[in-house]
Each structure stands twice: as C-alpha cells, then as structure tokens.
C-alpha cells in the first residue's frame, strides 16, 4: 500500500488531524521563502505530537540548516546540499524531462522525491509532474533499490490515478489539501489519504 506524507504543517490542529486521518508521515518546512515556513514556531512541540509511529520529515531548500531540539525528526528531505539525518531524501525538481541516466543521484540516500520545478518556491506549488516520466524514474530507481516519492500537483481528485500510473513508494502533498497556504482542509486530507491508499 502506498504511503502518504502530509507536508507544510504549521498548526497543531493540522498535525493531529493529519495523523487521525491516517498519514504515514508529516512534513515541516524550514525553507524561509516558503509560505509554510515553520520558522521559530514551536516546531519541537509539533514534531513530538507525531508520536513514535508516524515519521516526521524536515524539508530544506538551498541552504544547510540545523534543526536544534527537533529530536522527533526521523528523516531529512533536502534539495541540493546533503544534510545529516536518520534518512536522507533527495528532491528532484524537474524543469524539463532530463534523461534519467544523466541525473546525479546523491550517495547514501534513502529515497528520491520527484517534484515540479518552480522559480519561486521549493515545493507546494500545485504544479504536476509528467506521470509517464515519473513511472520511468520509479522503475529506474527500483532497479537500484531506491524508493521514489511522487509530489507535485496531487489532489484528492487525481491522486488515485497518479498512484495507479506511477506506483510510487509514497505520495507527498501540501497545497492540494489546503484552503490557503499552510491551512489544511482536513476533509481534503481525509479524502486524499483514502484515495491514495485505496489505489495503491
């Protein structure tokens, strides 16, 4: 069954709601240019709300950053620079369909996340990726025993089709389940998770 990560969480009620709806992982954004930037908010308290059986992912953009006191973080998702963490997830933000054989995969990664490219944001743009290309990348990574996470423009209405076509290890959503940036719609969260898991 496909796993689901709910990303860009900033409010306690969204953390508890995502977990109650069945999220496998929750994500917190530490990229200052993002409208979902967690900044100096009480992120340690939010992270600990996940408990022992829900993965917590810290999402970074261009810069190396430390997450002091964020002991509940179980994974680090980075965009360009390697960061220390229990698991490291490399993000590919595809402007064009780069030949898969030419992609520079980081060493010692736990997974690769495929997202759409935007000049303005590092994620949460609502821009979809090409699912045919994503399926090819997923197969390439499977041959190397690297899981692939699919992001980019996913919604409760299209995630089942995306999962059926791509067969990713997991799906990652942020803007597709919001009423406004950083404000999650828990009914959309519930429908997204149900649709993803029923398809995968």
């Amino acid at each position: 069954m496909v796993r689901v990560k709910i990303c860009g969480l900033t409010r306690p009620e969204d953390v508890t709601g995502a977990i109650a709806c069945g999220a496998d992982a929750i994500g917190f954004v530490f990229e200052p240019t993002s409208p979902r930037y967690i900044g100096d908010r009480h992120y340690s308290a939010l992270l600990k709300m996940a408990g022992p059986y829900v993965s917590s992912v810290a999402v970074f953009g261009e810069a190396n950053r430390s997450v002091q006191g964020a002991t509940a973080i179980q994974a680090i998702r980075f965009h360009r620079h390697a960061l220390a963490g229990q698991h490291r997830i490399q993000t590919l933000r595809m402007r064009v369909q780069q030949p898969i054989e030419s992609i520079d995969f980081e060493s010692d990664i736990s997974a690769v996340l495929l997202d759409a490219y935007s000049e303005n944001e590092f994620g949460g743009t609502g821009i979809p990726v090409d699912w045919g290309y994503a399926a090819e990348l997923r197969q390439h990574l499977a041959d190397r025993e690297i899981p692939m996470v699919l992001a980019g423009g996913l919604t409760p209405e299209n995630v089942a089709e995306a999962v059926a076509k791509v067969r990713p290890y997991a799906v990652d959503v942020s803007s597709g389940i919001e009423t406004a940036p950083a404000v999650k719609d828990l009914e959309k969260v519930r429908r997204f998770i149900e649709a993803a898991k029923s398809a995968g």
Side-chain angles (χ1 to χ4, degrees):
M1 180 181 295
V2 70
R3 293 160 175 79
V4 178
K5 172 172 164 275
I6 304 299
C7 196
L9 297 170
T10 62
R11 308 187 306 166
E13 59 267 38
D14 291 341
V15 174
T16 56
I19 294 169
C21 289
D24 300 290
I26 54 177
F28 302 94
V29 177
F30 291 87
E31 167 53 49
T33 63
S34 171
R36 300 165 189 87
Y37 175 49
I38 200 168
D40 294 328
R41 300 171 195 173
H42 302 293
Y43 58 80
S44 291
L46 292 178
L47 287 166
K48 290 175 183 177
M49 293 172 68
Y53 294 116
V54 176
S55 297
S56 302
V57 180
V59 181
F60 293 83
E62 290 289 341
N64 271 342
R65 303 178 190 278
S66 62
V67 187
Q68 297 178 354
T71 55
I73 284 182
Q74 299 173 2
I76 298 290
R77 170 182 154 196
F78 63 94
H79 287 270
R80 181 167 296 177
H81 302 289
L83 291 157
Q86 290 181 330
H87 297 283
R88 294 167 56 247
I89 304 167
Q90 180 181 0
T91 297
L92 299 179
R93 300 169 62 235
M94 304 305 292
R95 187 198 302 260
V96 296
Q97 292 185 16
Q98 179 180 352
I100 293 172
E101 295 76 13
S102 68
I103 296 174
D104 182 21
F105 295 105
E106 299 280 345
S107 61
D108 193 29
I109 53 175
S110 299
V112 168
L113 183 142
L114 179 64
D115 201 354
Y117 177 84
S118 169
E119 293 183 354
N120 302 316
E121 296 184 47
F122 285 100
T125 64
I127 302 171
V129 300
D130 182 285
W131 295 341
Y133 179 83
E136 292 181 20
L137 177 63
R138 194 268 309 158
Q139 183 58 58
H140 177 83
L141 292 169
D143 293 341
R144 302 176 58 172
E145 299 184 339
I146 301 174
M148 194 198 81
V149 181
L150 180 65
L154 298 176
T155 68
E157 290 73 32
N158 69 13
V159 67
E161 182 182 359
V163 169
K165 289 184 175 179
V166 180
R167 294 298 184 194
Y169 170 81
V171 290
D172 189 316
V173 65
S174 186
S175 63
I177 50 167
E178 291 180 337
T179 56
V183 179
K184 305 305 183 193
D185 181 326
L186 292 183
E187 175 59 20
K188 289 184 178 180
V189 172
R190 181 191 64 77
R191 291 195 292 111
F192 183 94
I193 293 173
E194 288 182 356
K197 290 184 177 291
S198 64

